[in-house]
Amino acid sequence: QVQFVESGGGLVQPGGSLRLSCAASGFTFRHYSMAWYRQTPGKERELVAGIILGGTRTTYDDSVKGRFIISRDDTKNTVSLQMNSLRSEDTATYYCNAAYWGNWRPIYVFWGQGTQVTVSL
């Protein structure tokens, strides 16, 4: 079955860095676009960064452009999010996401269990 192992979350001071990793199994990883979303209590889950299959194109929310970098390793079935210059507003639960696209819409979508990132003094 589909499984995600997310790691790298934790507590960090403002201005610090964290690297989130998501190891996936149970599906053909290289055929899926991968993304990181985040969510805070009372708010909808929002896209932070995405990377298409093959890793040739990425997208970022405006709030993280220039600070976060998403990458994927299809040999290890992993997607990572390097987060630099962290701010208190980056505090959230971060979710790994996999999507298989067909006919310009996601057909299969899988979610990780989430990892908490807290940015605070």
Side-chain angles (χ1 to χ4, degrees):
Q1 72 272 24
V2 174
Q3 286 189 325
F4 293 97
V5 178
E6 298 172 340
S7 61
L11 174 65
V12 64
Q13 293 186 355
S17 298
L18 283 176
R19 183 177 179 87
L20 304 183
S21 292
C22 173
S25 61
F27 61 98
T28 308
F29 184 86
R30 66 182 184 278
H31 291 170
Y32 282 69
S33 293
M34 300 300 297
W36 288 94
Y37 285 71
R38 67 186 178 188
Q39 188 172 26
T40 55
K43 293 189 176 181
E44 291 188 359
R45 196 169 294 187
E46 64 177 9
L47 175 67
V48 176
I51 185 167
I52 66 171
L53 58 162
T56 55
R57 186 175 298 175
T58 58
T59 187
Y60 297 92
D61 183 78
D62 285 345
S63 66
V64 306
K65 282 181 181 176
R67 300 189 297 124
F68 290 11
I69 300 173
I70 188 171
S71 61
R72 64 187 294 161
D73 185 341
D74 289 353
T75 67
K76 297 179 180 179
N77 290 0
T78 60
V79 59
S80 298
L81 185 68
Q82 178 66 41
M83 305 186 295
N84 301 319
S85 302
L86 283 161
R87 306 167 180 167
S88 58
E89 53 263 39
D90 295 318
T91 296
T93 301
Y94 285 71
Y95 296 89
C96 181
N97 168 276
Y100 180 88
W101 288 76
N103 294 328
W104 302 102
R105 63 184 179 87
I107 298 176
Y108 303 112
V109 180
F110 304 127
W111 292 94
Q113 77 281 3
T115 185
Q116 179 65 36
V117 171
T118 302
V119 184
S120 179
L121 290 172

